Amino acid sequence: YILQGSRWPSNEPLTFRIVKYPTTFPQQFVDAELTKALKLWSSASSLEFEHRKLKKQNEQKSNNLDHKTDIRISFEIGDHGDTEPFDGPGNVLGHAFFPQYGGDAHFDNDEYWTMKSTDGVNLFQVAAHEFGHSLGLEHSNKPDAIMAPFFKGYTPNFTLQEDDIRAIQALYGGKPSKSFSSPLSNSIEAYQAVSKQMAPSVKSSNKNSAICHDPQFDAIITIDDDTYIFKDKFVYRRSKLSMDNDYPKLIHDMFGRWEGGIWQTIPDQIDTAVTWPNQQIFFFKGKHYWKTNRFQLQAGYPRLISDGFRGLDEQHFFTGHLDAAFIYSGDNHTYFIKDAMVWRLNINIEFTNSIDIDYPQFVSSWLHIGEKITSALQWINGRTYFFSYKSYYRYDHINHQVDDSYPTYPRPISEWWLQCKHGASSSETAG
Amino acid sequence: CLTHVENNRLFYAKEFLNRFGYIKTNDSSLDISTSAVRAFQRFVGLNQTGIIDELTWQKMREPRCGNKDLRRIQRRKR
């Protein structure tokens, strides 16, 4: 998924209004289908919607309410004044504006709109897609996603896909549940709080205590919904709720492949790592990198970073030993940090990518964090976290600043991520 | 020589790639950059041949949303 870069403030329900109905589709059905489409997005996020109905048809032009309406919906014909004329039946079905441009959604009145038919164009499906734009999502290249640009034909049980859910939750957070309605919902802090409530006796094993004595690490990644923390020659794992007692394990045992009867692995003491959405993981050390598909080391590695990620070597000051590699939640591009500088990959494709022309930039002016960044991660909640030795920052990618929640950031890694307490061994104090 | 049909197809494809963010051009020739075609094929999961083959053409003709697929790299404020 791709976030456009703007979003609605989520403290109040968003209002929507159908300001121009289609000429060949009953109004009550339009109301129902569009409301259902918005409900898809509200059911997966903290968003709420409120329908501002027209009381009379003639309200259309003298509408004081319009100033208070967030998303205005209309069915238009041909050139309708926004420089993107519709083209009659077929081809373009609709378009919508991102939040920073008002969020309005326009549908081509010339389409043969339908509800439960393989003929024509399903209004609910197209509306669900256009409202994704109204909420801040760009087109996804996942073909199954609602935010993929092409109409798939009538699909019974049409619903949000994982890619769409991750996207909307990256912008607005998950749906607060009854038992779990913290404003930090879906954050590492919220999971930590739930973990304490649900399992007060959960303890990290003695094995985990090693990292509590020195709670800084080499790299941090996610695989599926689990977080893997690399330190020296060990890997620690935490689920959403707690550290896993079966860990740490040796990196050597977890990430490798048999080749010619020899077990090839990624090295110990890596510099950093990043997981791409296709489950490929890149591990960096010195001037080299290794690629795995989840835990399976791919053939042909290590390679030079400068071969796979062109542009990094063109900077005369780049000598390998990256500090951090991560996908930034603000634009889902891959970034690299080394000392005071940050680089951005143009596209997230190995070999054919290049470093964006505007980079490198200074980390301090890009992030507004003065401390040295030692690791970074886009976590499973779609938020980006920056680590600096024994502390970390949660980042607000909408306002492009450190999150201003309380307790303030930076916070100690040991307490919030590793479940150690007061710097002591977790085995002694957890719970 | 291109046939009338081929010309129409190239014209449409160029309009399509321009409209949905794969190229930005005002020239009226029928030249289409293969990298733009590849970028479209990559986005929709087709083989990246850089040629407007039948599958690519069919994909371009499918009903779709009018928003762009790719935003071009924006200039940074000075």
Side-chain angles (χ1 to χ4, degrees), chain A residues 2-4 84-85 87 90-96 98 129-130 133 138-141 149-151 346-347 349 356 358 361, chain B residues 12 16 19-20 22 40 42-45 48 58-71 73-77:
Chain A
I2 302 171
L3 307 178
Q4 179 265 341
E84 294 287 345
D87 53 8
N91 296 329
V92 172
L93 311 174
H95 57 224
F98 299 114
H129 175 96
E130 298 305 338
H133 293 312
E138 299 240 33
H139 283 154
S140 169
N141 64 358
F150 291 92
F151 175 62
N346 194 328
I347 47 173
I349 298 173
D356 242 326
D358 287 345
Q361 295 182 18
Chain B
Y12 180 90
F16 179 96
R19 176 164 192 177
F20 296 110
Y22 296 93
F40 171 68
R42 182 165 61 235
F43 195 87
V44 299
Q48 294 170 45
Q58 290 304 328
K59 197 71 192 171
M60 288 177 167
R61 301 293 293 168
E62 282 182 21
R64 58 162 295 154
C65 170
N67 285 38
K68 284 183 166 41
D69 296 336
L70 302 180
R71 275 187 303 154
I73 298 168
Q74 292 173 349
R75 283 182 180 280
R76 191 169 48 147
K77 284 181 186 172

Side-chain angles (χ1 to χ4, degrees), chain A residues 310-320 322-324 326 333-346 355-356 358-363 366:
Chain A
R310 290 173 196 157
L312 282 174
D313 63 326
E314 291 168 9
Q315 313 301 330
H316 65 277
F317 39 81
F318 181 70
T319 55
L322 294 165
D323 292 320
F326 60 101
H333 280 268
T334 299
Y335 286 77
F336 298 104
I337 290 179
K338 159 75 175 170
D339 296 329
M341 309 305 288
V342 56
W343 291 260
R344 185 174 85 162
L345 272 192
N346 194 328
I355 295 298
D356 242 326
D358 287 345
Y359 291 81
Q361 295 182 18
F362 285 105
V363 174
W366 186 74

Side-chain angles (χ1 to χ4, degrees), chain A residues 17-71:
Chain A
R17 187 175 189 201
I18 303 161
V19 296
K20 199 188 285 183
Y21 280 88
T23 48
T24 58
F25 200 91
Q27 289 195 7
Q28 70 269 31
F29 292 132
V30 175
D31 287 349
E33 295 300 290
L34 298 188
T35 304
K36 197 168 71 172
L38 284 166
K39 201 169 180 183
L40 277 185
W41 295 107
S42 62
S43 66
S45 69
S46 65
L47 288 166
E48 290 177 38
F49 296 101
E50 186 182 302
H51 189 177
R52 287 182 189 271
K53 287 188 180 176
L54 289 175
K55 286 179 185 162
K56 296 174 193 166
Q57 196 59 37
N58 62 9
E59 270 190 358
Q60 217 160 276
K61 287 182 181 173
S62 58
N63 45 19
N64 292 330
L65 271 178
D66 234 20
H67 295 294
K68 297 173 186 170
T69 304
D70 297 315
I71 298 172

